[in-house]
Amino acid sequence: MKPEQIVKFVQAFFYFCGFNEIIMIMENQPPLAEKIHLELDKLLLTPNTDYWAKNEVQYIGDEKILQKSFQNDLLNTIADANIDLINNIIKNGFIEDKEKIYVVEVEESYFYKVIEGNKQIAALKMLKQRLEKGENIGKLNIDVFNQIAVFENPKKIKEYALSTFSDFMKTLSGEHENKTFKLLFSDEAKSLEKNIKNHFQNIKIKNYKGFKDDLKVGEFRRINIIAGDNNVGKTSFLEAVYLLANLNNTKGVFSICQTRGKLTNGINGETLERLMPNQIKISGTFDNKDYQVELSNYNSKKSDLDRANYRTSYELKANDLKTDINVFNTKQPEIFYEEQAQICPTVFSSPFSFLDKQLLEKYHDNAVEKGIFFEIINFINIHIDDNFLSINKVGKGSFVRFIVNHKKLGAVDLTEFGDGVQRIFYVAIMMASAENGVICIDEIENAIHYKLLVKFTKFIQTLAEKLNIQVFATTHSNECIKAFFENDYKNEEIAGFRLINTDNKISYATASGEEFQTLLENFSLDLRG
Amino acid sequence: MEQTLTFLFCEGKHEPPFIRRLLKVDGWRNRTDQPMTEYPNVLQRYLLGELNKYATIEESVSWTRKIGFMPWYVLRKRQNNLEHFIVIWDTGGDSNYKVMNEVLKSFKVIKNTTGFGEITSIPINVALFYDADKSISDRIKTVQSNLSEILPNFCSDLRNEEKLFKQISNQTDNFNKVGLFVFANEAGKGTLEDYIIPLMEKDNEPIFNAASDFIKLSEEGKQEKKWSEQKALIGVTGQLQKAGKSNAVIITDCDYITNDKIKKDKNAQQLIEFIQKVID
């Protein structure tokens, strides 16, 4: 763990304890860690501190950590999972400082707990046991057992065993090993389209989830409202737009897996395989150019794969671009491509999915950079709560938070406010990251009071126009659909689509602009069906 | 049974009762007082939508009395396995043409609305009825000026070729048929009353002559006549049968007009024939 990560660790602790101000103070503090040399026997293994960034913390007390039986169980488990590391040390020796080991002192004892580097310490302890049994430890210099370089953090911190601790305990008791990994994907793929005039003009879904019969939907406008019965495929339609826009960028499929799976923490290979669509075949016209994306599932025959951990592979083809994805049980997928590209910047907003804080930070920064952040605060101030003075970003990456400067309540975390305020804020800042691109908003009306819908829809429309964004939004609210027209802002730019499932075949009905408005207002059309 | 829908837009308040009276002779039945459930789906939805727009307690009683733009009559006739509906509107004169345009604009979209199952697309016809007043050509110019945005193709097709002007265009401006009928006498001038009064007067000449003389009494000594002598004639004679009633009621109910006279009247038959052609 790097010094700055130690700081984050402490921040995490204070965050969980509710001492938010200390985190802010710590933002500008240099990391404190001192290099010392200790005997290997003085070091105690500590479960799962590597995964401190995850949620669902569970405290393991010093009393437990000091138990010899607990240490033996930990040692066997960690060392067993790192046979490769042990063999590597036998072969090459132990290189100090290659990966820093961080420790903290256990109060009223002469032991230190390892808060980073448990794998290395476990490997060394295992090799020490082998040496004591007279076994060969190869090139390992035995001096390391008496004097190993570690970094001590002088702060009195508690270490936390996190969600994976329960899995770890299962391992101790002989149950299965169920390691997870964080699904990572780049949000920086190259955009192929820049000066966009028409955005998506049509989309043809040949194969994606319930769409099996070459459904071609067209005549899109800037604002596209998708409605229909439950389970008819509205969200899948949004996903299809999102997947096509992302071409061979793995962000497309992976973020949909995250949204569908409502993933907040890690994922394992089995879950990823379950969430990944087996087949995707989507094409469409964007700014007068034809694009297509195709995903297929296969078993790789490559010899250099980690076979013991391998599950399956996917090929993501888009026009002349290609990405191969190898999925493993307990580690990040391997991704191979010459170039990852997307048609345009695309964001997906769902009220039901976990908001990735690192992405939120990026959305916020973009909103500031594009000059719309003030408009967002202004909107909230005028239409929702005139005590909102500002919203400030605090922290970074996984620990980013938004603190509202409230005239009456003082500094309050945005999450303390209603879902409606949060939804408006998040959707609006996301739009900044969809400039010259597409935003897909699932259940756009979710959490927003009906009286606010006219203003909110107009706000979305004005942002969409200002940033040249095409909007695809699903809704279950007829009030919301009407609000798009009642706000009287560029009604000609609005199209409505009703998805219809008849005997498992999906079709659609559509109207746009003035015609759509007439049907709504004069013929009581309910787009939802 | 498949349905058709025909809108008759009339310039004033007197055309609807007169046309309704002619159509009754032609076998049309009044369905104005029936529940809207029997009307074509799009008509139901439209009328209901209009009512809903104004059904608010925030409006005054006097305002709601003029609620929306609702038709005078809805008539129905079953013919050749089709159920035809005629809806007669009073547009309120030339100055109110925008209200009519709004109705036309709304129904123009119906032709293309095939995907939304609850809104049934049916053939829709439109017929417009105006007085020629000073000349047919002036009337056509006014129609073109007022309707060219909503009915551009029809307006550009209009030609002043007949003194008794009537013209029908097929499949135009998103409607099945659009027709224009101008009330005019043989000189190419005139009004609806040139059709009504001969019908009323026939077999009732003594009453109409006396009424005409009576009306002239009031004109003596006046420089400028600010009222229509023809309308006055209908009113004066009508009071003898329907005391206290308006001209519209008189046209609807008076005995001066009979089914037999309508069947034999050339103008009335031309008008019925025109409507039939719009519907066919």
Side-chain angles (χ1 to χ4, degrees):
Chain A
M1 189 184 283
K2 295 173 183 173
E4 57 269 28
Q5 287 177 309
I6 294 282
V7 173
K8 279 185 179 177
F9 180 81
V10 179
Q11 285 177 342
F13 162 65
F14 286 123
Y15 176 75
F16 292 130
C17 295
F19 301 140
N20 300 323
E21 294 79 3
I22 296 174
I23 298 173
M24 292 178 236
I25 292 165
M26 287 186 65
E27 284 288 315
N28 299 317
Q29 295 295 315
L32 299 169
E34 185 184 346
K35 190 175 181 179
I36 55 173
H37 287 85
L38 296 171
E39 285 177 45
L40 185 64
D41 288 343
K42 277 191 171 184
L43 300 178
L44 298 176
L45 299 170
T46 315
N48 297 308
T49 48
D50 295 13
Y51 304 101
W52 58 270
K54 294 179 181 174
N55 294 331
E56 297 176 39
V57 292
Q58 185 177 348
Y59 177 64
I60 304 298
D62 288 348
E63 193 181 331
K64 179 95 176 170
I65 287 171
L66 286 163
Q67 286 175 9
K68 198 169 182 181
S69 60
F70 186 75
Q71 284 296 312
N72 284 338
D73 286 338
L74 271 174
L75 174 62
N76 291 327
T77 306
I78 299 172
D80 281 351
N82 291 284
I83 296 296
D84 289 346
L85 178 62
I86 292 171
N87 291 335
N88 188 278
I89 294 172
I90 291 170
K91 191 177 173 186
N92 302 310
F94 182 76
I95 304 166
E96 278 191 355
D97 291 347
K98 185 183 179 187
E99 289 186 50
K100 287 180 180 173
I101 295 160
Y102 287 87
V103 298
V104 289
E105 192 176 2
V106 179
E107 286 180 20
E108 297 175 5
S109 78
Y110 64 97
F111 291 103
Y112 289 80
K113 292 181 290 190
V114 179
I115 58 171
E116 175 67 24
N118 276 289
K119 287 175 191 171
Q120 290 100 309
I121 297 302
L124 291 174
K125 281 178 180 276
M126 191 56 81
L127 287 166
K128 186 167 181 270
Q129 284 183 3
R130 286 190 188 182
L131 179 69
E132 286 163 0
K133 288 178 191 169
E135 291 176 19
N136 179 23
I137 58 168
K139 289 188 176 177
L140 178 62
N141 184 341
I142 59 170
D143 289 345
V144 77
F145 296 143
N146 298 320
Q147 278 218 331
I148 181 164
V150 295
F151 289 83
E152 183 191 15
N153 192 322
K155 284 185 177 293
K156 302 289 183 190
I157 61 171
K158 293 177 179 177
E159 62 271 39
Y160 285 82
L162 304 168
S163 58
T164 48
F165 180 70
S166 58
D167 297 330
F168 165 72
M169 292 307 284
K170 283 178 188 169
T171 310
L172 286 187
S173 62
E175 287 185 50
H176 71 285
E177 186 178 9
N178 184 23
K179 287 187 179 173
T180 61
F181 50 84
K182 187 166 165 55
L183 196 54
L184 301 174
F185 49 85
S186 164
D187 195 37
E188 303 298 336
K190 175 187 169 187
S191 289
L192 299 181
E193 299 292 340
K194 302 286 182 192
N195 301 314
I196 301 158
K197 288 181 182 167
N198 291 314
H199 290 86
F200 275 115
Q201 291 150 297
N202 61 63
I203 182 168
K204 188 175 181 181
I205 312 174
K206 290 181 182 173
N207 193 351
Y208 181 63
K209 296 197 173 167
F211 295 89
K212 303 285 184 197
D213 293 299
D214 284 16
L215 177 72
K216 184 174 182 180
V217 184
E219 304 293 317
F220 294 132
R221 306 265 174 125
R222 183 179 293 283
I223 306 293
N224 301 284
I225 306 165
I226 321 295
D229 291 338
N230 276 328
N231 207 33
V232 76
K234 298 184 294 296
T235 304
S236 298
F237 182 84
L238 283 194
E239 289 172 358
V241 172
Y242 185 72
L243 287 166
L244 181 57
N246 272 290
L247 295 177
N248 75 323
N249 182 7
T250 48
K251 179 189 128 189
V253 281
F254 284 173
S255 61
I256 280 173
C257 288
Q258 279 195 335
T259 304
R260 283 278 180 182
K262 299 178 173 55
L263 302 178
T264 55
N265 295 318
I267 186 172
N268 60 24
E270 185 185 354
T271 309
L272 178 59
E273 190 178 347
R274 178 172 54 78
L275 293 171
M276 283 283 281
N278 278 335
Q279 293 276 324
I280 294 175
K281 202 168 185 182
I282 305 162
S283 57
T285 309
F286 187 98
D287 208 17
N288 300 320
K289 287 177 198 155
D290 293 332
Y291 289 96
Q292 57 184 1
V293 67
E294 210 169 325
L295 180 90
S296 54
N297 184 210
Y298 68 99
N299 275 315
S300 176
K301 306 290 182 198
K302 284 185 178 175
S303 56
D304 56 349
L305 275 173
D306 177 5
R307 281 284 163 201
N309 208 6
Y310 174 72
R311 288 194 69 85
T312 189
S313 296
Y314 296 89
E315 182 185 67
L316 184 59
K317 278 168 64 179
N319 289 28
D320 52 354
L321 302 161
K322 196 179 87 153
T323 298
D324 282 296
I325 306 163
N326 295 329
V327 175
F328 299 92
N329 283 313
T330 59
K331 67 176 183 182
Q332 274 281 339
E334 288 176 352
I335 299 166
F336 301 94
Y337 55 85
E338 282 187 15
E339 180 184 41
Q340 280 203 106
Q342 58 193 12
I343 298 176
C344 60
T346 312
V347 293
F348 196 108
S349 165
S350 166
F352 310 112
S353 64
F354 169 71
L355 288 164
D356 185 297
K357 291 205 164 185
Q358 283 171 333
L359 280 177
L360 275 183
E361 183 182 17
K362 184 189 151 192
Y363 297 147
H364 164 272
D365 294 348
N366 280 343
V368 173
E369 186 187 322
K370 310 288 181 196
I372 65 162
F373 196 74
F374 175 75
E375 287 179 47
I376 298 167
I377 306 300
N378 208 31
F379 179 84
I380 294 172
N381 184 283
I382 292 172
H383 300 297
I384 302 174
D385 185 345
D386 58 8
N387 291 307
F388 262 67
L389 298 174
S390 63
I391 298 179
N392 301 308
K393 186 185 78 172
V394 174
K396 285 183 178 178
S398 300
F399 289 95
V400 76
R401 296 162 64 226
F402 295 100
I403 304 296
V404 176
N405 183 9
H406 195 272
K407 210 186 283 180
K408 291 182 178 168
L409 303 173
V412 183
D413 195 297
L414 181 64
T415 55
E416 298 289 318
F417 289 87
D419 289 342
V421 176
Q422 293 182 55
R423 186 88 206 283
I424 288 166
F425 177 74
Y426 292 134
V427 169
I429 62 170
M430 285 172 99
M431 289 188 79
S433 294
E435 186 180 26
N436 285 313
V438 172
I439 185 167
C440 300
I441 310 173
D442 202 14
E443 299 202 9
I444 188 169
E445 80 287 359
N446 196 292
I448 297 168
H449 193 274
Y450 76 96
K451 285 179 187 167
L452 194 60
L453 286 171
V454 172
K455 305 286 184 193
F456 176 62
T457 51
K458 186 174 182 180
F459 186 50
I460 294 289
Q461 285 182 265
T462 50
L463 285 181
E465 188 184 18
K466 184 173 183 177
L467 299 170
N468 192 25
I469 298 169
Q470 188 176 34
V471 178
F472 290 87
T474 68
T475 183
H476 284 293
S477 162
N478 206 29
E479 285 165 331
C480 179
I481 297 166
K482 287 180 176 173
F484 272 103
F485 287 99
E486 284 167 19
N487 71 38
D488 214 19
Y489 185 84
K490 303 209 170 181
N491 291 343
E492 70 279 7
E493 293 188 340
I494 304 167
F497 299 86
R498 177 196 292 167
L499 297 182
I500 305 155
N501 188 332
T502 313
D503 300 329
N504 290 325
K505 184 172 182 177
I506 302 172
S507 58
Y508 76 101
T510 183
S512 54
E514 200 172 45
E515 179 190 328
F516 186 17
Q517 183 175 9
T518 299
L519 291 173
L520 282 175
E521 293 177 357
N522 294 345
F523 294 98
S524 310
L525 173 71
D526 189 337
L527 189 69
R528 302 169 303 174
Chain B
M1 191 181 284
E2 288 185 27
Q3 297 173 317
T4 73
L5 183 59
T6 303
F7 295 128
L8 309 185
F9 289 102
C10 305
E11 186 183 353
K13 287 181 179 148
H14 298 153
E15 287 93 339
F18 180 62
I19 291 172
R20 193 200 81 157
R21 197 148 185 189
L22 301 191
L23 291 174
K24 206 171 166 185
V25 174
D26 194 40
W28 290 83
R29 294 291 166 258
N30 185 11
R31 309 304 292 171
T32 316
D33 298 327
Q34 297 304 308
M36 286 190 270
T37 46
E38 73 168 38
Y39 295 173
N41 161 286
V42 286
L43 182 60
Q44 273 179 45
R45 283 181 165 266
Y46 180 82
L47 296 178
L48 206 58
E50 277 295 294
L51 291 169
N52 284 336
K53 275 184 199 172
Y54 302 103
T56 162
I57 57 169
E58 288 165 8
E59 299 296 349
S60 67
V61 171
S62 60
W63 194 89
T64 50
R65 206 179 290 137
K66 303 169 196 165
I67 191 164
F69 182 56
M70 302 299 280
W72 272 63
Y73 301 112
V74 179
L75 309 174
R76 187 185 71 189
K77 185 179 180 182
R78 291 186 173 128
Q79 192 177 40
N80 303 329
N81 287 325
L82 288 170
E83 188 175 39
H84 301 284
F85 281 84
I86 280 180
V87 184
I88 309 177
W89 312 72
D90 155 27
T91 61
D94 279 339
S95 58
N96 268 343
Y97 72 93
K98 285 182 181 169
V99 187
M100 171 178 65
N101 285 4
E102 284 302 310
V103 179
L104 289 171
K105 201 167 112 181
S106 295
F107 280 92
K108 272 182 88 167
V109 309
I110 294 300
K111 189 178 179 185
N112 298 327
T113 310
T114 53
F116 300 108
E118 71 274 35
I119 299 175
T120 316
S121 179
I122 58 172
I124 298 175
N125 309 300
V126 176
L128 312 164
F129 297 88
Y130 287 98
D131 290 342
D133 293 325
K134 289 178 185 171
S135 80
I136 290 174
S137 60
D138 283 353
R139 166 53 58 194
I140 288 172
K141 280 177 195 165
T142 309
V143 168
Q144 286 173 324
S145 164
N146 292 347
L147 284 155
S148 59
E149 198 181 318
I150 298 295
L151 302 172
N153 297 326
F154 175 71
C155 287
S156 65
D157 285 348
L158 285 175
R159 298 283 181 273
N160 180 10
E161 291 172 351
E162 294 179 63
K163 283 186 177 176
L164 182 70
F165 188 82
K166 53 185 188 292
Q167 184 170 324
I168 298 170
S169 294
N170 294 326
Q171 298 296 331
T172 186
D173 298 316
N174 267 17
F175 291 108
N176 190 46
K177 286 184 185 174
V178 179
L180 171 67
F181 190 98
V182 181
F183 295 108
N185 57 29
E186 289 183 354
K189 298 176 182 177
T191 63
L192 168 73
E193 282 73 22
D194 290 318
Y195 283 61
I196 297 176
I197 290 174
L199 260 180
M200 294 174 77
E201 192 175 9
K202 187 175 168 46
D203 304 333
N204 299 299
E205 286 83 358
I207 295 171
F208 277 77
N209 288 339
S212 188
D213 291 342
F214 171 69
I215 290 163
K216 279 176 186 153
L217 287 175
S218 69
E219 294 176 14
E220 286 176 7
K222 290 187 178 172
Q223 296 291 320
E224 192 185 350
K225 192 172 70 175
K226 289 185 176 175
W227 40 272
S228 157
E229 190 180 318
Q230 288 176 306
K231 285 187 171 66
L233 188 57
I234 293 170
V236 170
T237 54
Q239 293 306 312
L240 300 173
Q241 290 193 353
K242 303 286 173 187
K245 300 293 182 184
S246 67
N247 277 12
V249 177
I250 291 163
I251 293 165
T252 306
D253 294 334
C254 74
D255 291 341
Y256 299 129
I257 300 172
T258 64
N259 291 357
D260 191 46
K261 282 161 79 173
I262 288 169
K263 284 176 186 170
K264 290 175 183 169
D265 184 80
K266 188 183 153 195
N267 284 344
Q269 286 308 306
Q270 278 183 331
L271 193 53
I272 293 170
E273 209 174 277
F274 168 79
I275 294 170
Q276 189 62 47
K277 279 185 182 172
V278 169
I279 290 165
D280 284 342

